[in-house]
Amino acid sequence: MTCKYFGLCASCTLYDKTYEEQLDFKTNREKDRFSNFTNINFDIIKSSDANFRNRAEFRIWWEKDENNEKDVLSYAMSDTKKDILQIDSCSIVSPQIAELMPKLLAELQSDMILSFRLFGIEFLGSSTSDMLVTLLYHKKLEKYWEELAKQIENKFNIKIIGRSRKQKIVLSSDFINENLNINNQSFKFAYEENGFTQPNTNVNKQMIEWVLNNTKDSKKDLCELYCGGGNFTIPLSKKFNKVLATEISKTSIKSALRNCELNDIKNIEFIRMSAEEFVEALNEVRAFNRLKNVDLKSYDFDTIFMDPPRSGLDDTTRNLSKNFENIIYISCNPETLHRDLEELTLTHEIVRFALFDQFAYTNHIECGAILKRK
């Protein structure tokens, strides 16, 4: 069942409405929010109404059975420490995760080495049926735990990581393989445990396609900020001469470089720095040793792509964006996007706007705006 407690990875906060009703609610809210900027028709990218999440996190709840003979494990969700809801299934996770959940719990329940002080389980799956499971403990994991966990890995053909304080045990691999079909072209990705990935694979594919379908081929270069593991960067590289992409996370840069190799793409240069640092480097405010092999002056940008965190753009990045002919802005927070558009629409006009229902049955929705210089 779905529930209002699914707070960590996409809660069913609009659980009393049908999928279409909750989508209409969010669509009308955002059309009203952005009505002072544009009256163009919004592109609406829908989610499936069930089994759409390929990433999920659950608490593990311990409780005595009716006869008080043994402890029984169950999955649980909570929106406060005291407000716990035990669940035996979840209809919004992918079929692969939904099928694995009870089987895995039964295996963990069968051995105290595996179950003792287990407090959480994280699932990361792909459309290629690759599955990574992270087991979270309040204890040190010993060699015998590894042997038992390896047996579960082999039994279910999954990958398992054990985590405890200052401890991470990777039994076989710490990433899964994904293959996305984008506009009838295959793109390969490796998604790392504890790295950022889009949880709704089908909506993610449609987000990428929306960007590509509304971006003309250019003989010039693309500047991308907050590139993550290259989710948009790699498909977009087909549209431009060269791409310069920035990201502050070491894990994400590592993933981005690996994903470039997987797709045999040569025209992307990734640099690890914040958006603010990149602006300073581009404006020659200060020199960065990590850019000693990067010739910023060799780039001829006409487009900037940004997918910032919920806080949106800082003042320097917002001002930098105004220097580009085209702005592509993907936002996970309509409030900060609206704030940023107050400035960006002084120099640019919105030519396309989209809503992406990445987190169905929640109040949350993602946005995409494409702007061209006036």
Side-chain angles (χ1 to χ4, degrees):
M1 63 181 175
T2 55
C3 70
K4 66 178 181 178
Y5 297 81
F6 215 87
L8 290 176
C9 52
S11 61
C12 307
T13 50
L14 297 177
Y15 62 98
D16 58 335
K17 300 180 185 291
T18 67
Y19 175 71
E20 292 297 335
E21 287 174 336
Q22 63 88 26
L23 180 59
D24 286 344
F25 170 80
K26 291 190 284 189
T27 299
N28 291 330
R29 181 189 65 200
E30 300 312 324
K31 285 182 177 179
D32 181 65
R33 187 197 307 273
F34 293 98
S35 61
N36 61 317
F37 296 131
T38 182
N39 59 3
I40 62 175
N41 291 327
F42 284 19
D43 299 315
I44 309 299
I45 308 302
K46 296 182 179 182
S47 171
S48 301
D49 61 2
N51 301 121
F52 50 83
R53 284 194 63 96
N54 280 297
R55 191 182 79 221
E57 305 170 18
F58 296 95
R59 288 189 61 170
I60 292 299
W61 187 251
W62 290 72
E63 193 168 76
K64 293 287 185 182
D65 69 4
E66 294 180 355
N67 298 320
N68 202 33
E69 293 179 354
K70 62 178 181 179
D71 289 321
V72 177
L73 274 65
S74 66
Y75 294 102
M77 302 305 303
S78 65
D79 57 359
T80 68
K81 290 184 178 180
K82 295 182 179 180
D83 200 4
I84 302 292
L85 180 70
Q86 294 172 250
I87 61 175
D88 53 19
S89 63
C90 179
S91 63
I92 70 172
V93 298
S94 70
Q96 184 189 11
I97 295 176
E99 181 181 357
L100 177 62
M101 285 175 64
K103 296 177 181 179
L104 176 64
L105 199 66
E107 289 292 328
L108 296 171
Q109 175 78 59
S110 68
D111 195 295
M112 279 298 294
I113 299 293
L114 292 169
S115 61
F116 184 61
R117 306 211 72 180
L118 174 70
F119 71 90
I121 301 180
E122 300 175 354
F123 296 90
L124 178 62
S126 75
S127 60
T128 64
S129 297
D130 208 1
M131 174 70 73
L132 176 61
V133 175
T134 303
L135 304 177
L136 308 173
Y137 290 88
H138 286 310
K139 69 173 182 180
K140 183 179 179 181
L141 302 178
E142 306 289 354
K143 186 68 178 177
Y144 191 45
W145 176 90
E146 294 185 44
E147 295 173 0
L148 293 172
K150 189 66 181 178
Q151 292 175 20
I152 298 179
E153 243 197 8
N154 295 334
K155 181 174 183 176
F156 296 126
N157 192 27
I158 60 177
K159 300 167 181 176
I160 289 181
I161 292 176
R163 277 190 176 274
S164 185
R165 186 179 180 185
K166 296 182 179 180
Q167 191 178 25
K168 175 184 176 181
I169 298 177
V170 180
L171 297 185
S172 56
S173 176
D174 65 351
F175 66 89
I176 60 169
N177 296 299
E178 180 61 282
N179 195 324
L180 300 182
N181 188 302
I182 308 294
N183 285 343
N184 297 317
Q185 185 172 359
S186 177
F187 291 95
K188 298 176 182 179
F189 292 91
Y191 294 156
E192 290 202 32
E193 185 260 357
N194 229 24
F196 176 78
T197 59
Q198 297 285 357
N200 192 323
T201 301
N202 286 331
V203 171
N204 180 46
K205 288 165 58 177
Q206 293 180 79
M207 288 171 67
I208 298 170
E209 288 179 343
W210 182 82
V211 171
L212 294 178
N213 294 342
N214 290 290
T215 302
K216 293 181 179 179
D217 291 348
S218 173
K219 293 182 179 179
K220 294 190 176 183
D221 304 326
L222 170 70
C223 173
E224 181 177 358
L225 309 181
Y226 319 98
C227 71
N231 182 61
F232 289 97
T233 326
I234 289 169
L236 269 172
S237 68
K238 304 291 186 179
K239 292 276 188 176
F240 294 89
N241 177 44
K242 293 190 299 182
V243 180
L244 181 64
T246 73
E247 170 60 50
I248 190 63
S249 165
K250 288 183 179 180
T251 300
S252 293
I253 286 290
K254 177 184 173 184
S255 293
L257 292 169
R258 175 189 285 156
N259 292 333
C260 256
E261 291 180 5
L262 288 173
N263 293 279
D264 194 29
I265 290 176
K266 310 292 187 183
N267 67 332
I268 305 176
E269 200 162 18
F270 291 100
I271 52 177
R272 191 182 70 81
M273 59 188 348
S274 69
E276 297 92 331
E277 290 174 327
F278 175 71
V279 174
E280 291 182 337
L282 202 60
N283 293 333
E284 299 182 339
V285 174
R286 55 181 286 211
F288 291 86
N289 187 55
R290 72 195 86 160
L291 293 179
K292 62 182 179 181
N293 297 319
V294 178
D295 183 6
L296 292 179
K297 293 183 179 180
S298 71
Y299 286 89
D300 183 15
F301 298 117
D302 68 351
T303 302
I304 186 169
F305 179 96
M306 300 174 291
D307 186 2
R310 291 188 61 79
S311 56
L313 306 178
D314 62 277
D315 291 340
T316 56
T317 307
R318 199 181 302 114
N319 289 330
L320 171 72
S321 305
K322 297 177 184 180
N323 297 326
F324 292 79
E325 182 70 24
N326 308 300
I327 300 173
I328 306 172
Y329 192 150
I330 301 296
S331 171
C332 60
N333 186 351
E335 292 183 7
T336 54
L337 173 61
H338 187 276
R339 178 204 65 200
D340 293 338
L341 288 177
E342 293 277 6
E343 287 293 320
L344 297 180
T345 53
L346 296 178
T347 54
H348 291 67
E349 64 175 335
I350 299 171
V351 294
R352 302 289 296 199
F353 199 100
L355 299 177
F356 310 110
D357 200 18
Q358 183 80 232
F359 300 93
Y361 303 107
T362 77
N363 280 299
H364 182 71
I365 199 160
E366 304 209 355
C367 305
I370 297 179
L371 301 92
K372 292 189 179 296
R373 184 180 286 134
K374 293 180 179 178

